[in-house]
Structure formats: structure tokens, C-alpha cells
Amino acid sequence: MSGKTGDAQIGAWVTALCAKKPTPGGGAAAAVAAAIGAASGAMAAIYTTRKKDEESGVAGEARALAAALDAAAARCIVLADEDETAYAALQASWKDESLSAEDKAKIEATALNVPVSLLKLCHEQSSAVANFLPRCNPNITSDAKVCIHLLAGAGRAAYQTVLVNQPKEEVKTELKPLLLDLAKHEKLVLPDGFP
């Protein structure tokens, strides 16, 4: 797909994802899913600014969360484009014998950094929404829960992209607690009796 993810209509972007081309790929798909999740959470937060939310003091927290989620959604779209660029550079490096080992290492590090950043963002925002959920407008908590599910799924999907990049053990060790937290956030919002 030519152009930037943020400039594309979602239908055109999904069609590009379906194509037999290396980009956009799974890493970008994870980032777009995270953007949609964050946007859903932002909506739930901004709907928690009713008069009674103002009076209870929750509205200020809700506005701050909505702004953070809105910024996270925008960052996820940038990460989708960064993933596409990083993978294209990585793929080109496999055939470019003129690259030094140091240059190849930089390209590999960039390709790894994008999904690591996405997973960390998903964890941070999912944690914030899970913490806010008890104070969320009860008429729209389903959208906050959708946010948590999409961020958890996107975080796990980003981890799959991390693994493709063959990270060192310390990277996997650093990310494992984040994955466990994402699972806890999802369990929190599932009805009783679900695994």
C-alpha cells in the first residue's frame, strides 16, 4: 500500500492487508487494532463527563484518560507505518551484501523496537482503562471493555512480531509480565465462568 495508514480509509487499508505483499503485515495490523481499541476507550472516558461526574470529581480523570487514549490511538497509527517501513528495510537488508554488520544490526533493532513499543503502549493504556473502569459511566462500560480486549489482543499480536525478530531472552523476560497483566485485564472484564 502506498501512503500512510492514517491517510487511508479502513476498507482500503484492510484490502491492502489482504494482498499478497509483505506490507502492511501483522505488525501493522496489531497497531491498527490497538488504535481502534484506544479510540473505543477514549469514547467511554469522554462519556464519563456528565454533570454527576463533574460533581464527583471523576470528569477530570475521565478527560485526562480520554486525551491519553486519543494520543495513544494516534501513536498506534504512526507505529503501523513505522512497522511497514521497518519490515521493508529489514527485508531489503537480507539481500544487500553491501551493508555492514553494524548497519544490519541497526535495521534489526528498529524492526524489533516497533512491536516492543506497541506492546508497552497496549499494556500502559489497558492498565489505565482497567483502573478507570469502576468509575466509568455505567451506560458505556462495554466500550471500555472493548478497549481492554482490543489492546490485549493487539499486545499479544505485537508479541508475535517481537518473536519473529528473534529477541534476546532479556527482552522476552521484560515483556512477559506485561502479557500476563493484559490477560488479567481481560479476565477482569469477562463475565464469571469464563477462563
Side-chain angles (χ1 to χ4, degrees):
M1 185 175 100
S2 61
K4 296 193 178 285
T5 304
D7 296 336
Q9 293 290 322
I10 192 70
W13 191 86
V14 169
T15 298
L17 182 62
C18 292
K20 187 179 178 182
K21 296 185 337 188
T23 60
V32 170
I36 293 168
S40 180
M43 180 181 65
I46 207 63
Y47 268 103
T48 309
T49 56
R50 303 161 297 171
K51 182 178 180 183
K52 64 171 121 180
D53 301 317
E54 294 289 350
E55 292 167 355
S56 72
V58 172
E61 177 188 2
R63 277 191 208 72
L65 179 61
L69 288 163
D70 187 40
R75 176 68 184 133
C76 288
I77 296 300
V78 171
L79 285 169
D81 290 331
E82 288 178 1
D83 180 78
E84 192 171 338
T85 301
Y87 184 74
L90 182 64
Q91 193 175 39
S93 76
W94 298 333
K95 300 172 187 169
D96 189 345
E97 295 178 14
S98 69
L99 285 174
S100 69
E102 183 180 319
D103 287 340
K104 283 188 179 194
K106 285 180 184 176
I107 291 168
E108 291 167 357
T110 299
L112 175 61
N113 186 53
V114 174
V116 167
S117 296
L118 178 59
L119 175 50
K120 289 178 178 179
L121 180 149
C122 289
H123 176 264
E124 178 184 359
Q125 298 308 318
S126 179
S127 296
V129 174
N131 289 332
F132 177 73
L133 197 55
R135 294 173 302 290
C136 186
N137 178 337
N139 299 318
I140 199 157
T141 57
S142 63
D143 293 285
K145 292 173 183 179
V146 164
C147 169
I148 289 170
H149 287 301
L150 287 172
L151 289 174
R156 286 190 299 273
Y159 188 68
Q160 293 302 314
T161 305
V162 167
L163 293 177
V164 166
N165 286 287
Q166 302 174 351
K168 294 180 179 176
E169 281 303 313
E170 56 262 21
V171 173
K172 292 192 269 186
T173 300
E174 175 191 4
L175 298 178
K176 185 176 179 180
L178 306 184
L179 292 166
L180 293 173
D181 280 350
L182 288 172
K184 287 178 191 172
H185 300 159
E186 277 199 293
K187 187 169 176 114
L188 171 77
V189 300
L190 286 170
D192 287 339
F194 277 82

